[in-house]
Amino acid sequence: MPAPEATRVMVTGALGQIGTDLVEELRRMHGNENVLATDIRELPDHTGVTNGPFELLSVLDTDAMDSLVKEYDITKIFHLGAILSVTGEQNPKLCKKINVGGTVSVLETAKNNNLQVYAPSSIAVFGPDTPKHAPQITPLNPTTTYGKTKVTGENLINEYWKKHGVDARGLRYPGLISWKSPAGGGTTDYAVEIFNAALNQGHYDCFVRPNTKLPMMYMDDAIRATLDLMNSPIKKIGKSRAGYNVSGLSFTAQELVDAIKDKVDGFTCNFIPDVRQNYADSWPDSVNDASAKKDWGWEAEYDLGKIVDSMIEGLSK
Ligand code: SER
């Protein structure tokens, strides 16, 4: 029997919040040299991503992407380069260009080189008409430009799968909480910023109301969900391949503040809602992830207490 083909992975947006953690885990699994990190930004010295190959890449440059895939003999792409909701509302044209254009580049490159693709979706695909506990299958009418680009991304994945057999898959990520790399430009960033502020200033001005409740997930769970989805045999991947709901946990901003107060003496928080409140209000409180559980066995591990402990320990290093 011929030896199975080695997995060689390319990651776009590798210096971002998810990329930093995902590259580390992929390199642990496949070997440093088999994971090509790419980003539009220059590689800074102080990141874990320096332990393997890195190339500058714009996700809009399909020719450059194709060349790198051939040069490094890539077998799958994790496409994380994107503009999040807050930056997207400030610059909708850029958001559409990067998020939709980047996904098309990746899917075209995958089609031409027979690659597997991971391209994430988001809870931002839901809108004000979604039930507060979001079903897997429901009309998708987001109000943010970011959410609209993610709906388009899911449609593109389904199109390339049906028409060209491209094995692309995605998760609807909730707000992701991690300490290795800062979040940036998202509505759910308060759930990350609050930890840095608590430890450094002892105070946080939170930009959503205390009763704001959103689906969230610790990064370790998100990385495991991503890899479990991608490593599942194709026969287990059902109709939701382009955007599986995955639940971690849900808490209000006040519950998060209270959990941090239990661990950080003297921590105070003011609530000063701004325009980001509107984006948060348009998203559901929680998601129904029965399909992910049934199709490929998803189960979250981190509850709020475990997240608070891990964040404080990680950021204190
Ligand atoms: N975390 C993202 C944001 O807030 C949602 O996917 O924009």
Side-chain angles (χ1 to χ4, degrees):
M1 215 166 64
E5 195 189 4
T7 302
R8 271 178 301 271
V9 182
M10 173 162 138
V11 180
T12 72
L15 299 178
Q17 191 200 7
I18 306 171
T20 309
D21 278 74
L22 185 67
V23 167
E24 188 179 309
E25 184 57 21
L26 287 168
R27 285 187 174 156
R28 207 184 54 71
M29 285 167 58
H30 301 297
N32 293 2
E33 66 290 354
N34 288 323
V35 179
L36 171 64
T38 73
D39 204 286
I40 187 92
R41 289 177 282 171
E42 296 275 356
L43 184 65
D45 300 332
H46 58 273
T47 156
V49 176
T50 45
N51 66 359
F54 177 84
E55 299 275 359
L56 281 176
L57 175 69
S58 159
V59 294
L60 298 181
D61 191 342
T62 316
D63 291 341
M65 193 180 282
D66 195 84
S67 300
L68 286 177
V69 161
K70 292 188 163 74
E71 183 184 337
Y72 286 86
D73 214 357
I74 296 297
T75 60
K76 53 173 106 176
I77 301 185
F78 288 80
H79 174 47
L80 303 177
I83 304 276
L84 294 187
S85 55
V86 177
T87 316
E89 287 311 285
Q90 287 160 352
N91 196 338
K93 200 168 140 191
L94 182 74
C95 181
K96 285 179 261 198
K97 191 165 144 186
I98 302 292
N99 292 7
V100 178
T103 304
V104 171
S105 282
V106 168
L107 290 169
E108 276 295 310
T109 306
K111 182 182 89 174
N112 296 333
N113 295 278
N114 194 24
L115 311 178
Q116 195 196 22
V117 170
Y118 177 73
S121 185
S122 159
I123 53 160
V125 294
F126 300 117
D129 61 344
T130 305
K132 280 297 165 197
H133 183 56
Q136 175 68 49
I137 297 169
T138 188
L140 300 177
N141 297 308
T143 49
T144 61
T145 297
Y146 171 69
K148 289 172 192 165
T149 66
K150 288 291 166 183
V151 174
T152 303
E154 290 193 15
N155 290 335
L156 285 166
I157 287 183
N158 285 323
E159 177 190 323
Y160 274 74
W161 165 242
K162 284 186 192 138
K163 278 203 191 147
H164 308 294
V166 174
D167 180 12
R169 309 177 184 189
L171 301 172
R172 289 175 181 156
Y173 282 137
L176 299 181
I177 302 175
S178 66
W179 56 268
K180 278 183 206 144
S181 186
T187 303
T188 56
D189 290 9
Y190 65 89
V192 180
E193 289 173 4
I194 195 169
F195 285 97
N196 286 287
L199 295 177
N200 297 322
Q201 287 93 40
H203 178 80
Y204 183 59
D205 285 333
C206 182
F207 56 78
V208 295
R209 282 189 305 269
N211 62 351
T212 304
K213 188 174 191 177
L214 286 174
M216 298 279 179
M217 185 179 278
Y218 194 56
M219 188 60 83
D220 292 31
D221 271 344
I223 299 295
R224 194 165 48 79
T226 305
L227 297 173
D228 283 359
L229 171 71
M230 287 296 276
N231 293 333
S232 290
I234 200 157
K235 63 176 190 299
K236 296 209 168 207
I237 303 303
K239 281 203 289 285
S240 306
R241 68 162 41 247
Y244 274 100
N245 284 0
V246 278
S247 179
L249 71 168
S250 292
F251 48 78
T252 64
Q254 183 67 57
E255 284 163 346
L256 177 59
V257 169
D258 293 343
I260 295 174
K261 272 186 179 164
D262 281 348
K263 303 282 167 157
V264 181
D265 282 344
F267 172 58
T268 55
C269 181
N270 287 341
F271 295 93
I272 310 172
D274 63 21
V275 66
R276 290 170 280 190
Q277 182 73 56
N278 301 337
Y279 317 149
D281 287 345
S282 75
W283 297 342
D285 292 357
S286 59
V287 300
N288 181 327
D289 60 359
S291 295
K293 288 189 161 110
K294 181 174 132 299
D295 289 359
W296 45 274
W298 167 243
E299 205 60 62
E301 277 175 9
Y302 280 77
D303 60 17
L304 185 53
K306 210 168 151 189
I307 290 177
V308 171
D309 289 343
S310 303
M311 285 297 286
I312 292 175
E313 195 195 323
L315 288 172
S316 304
K317 271 182 195 163

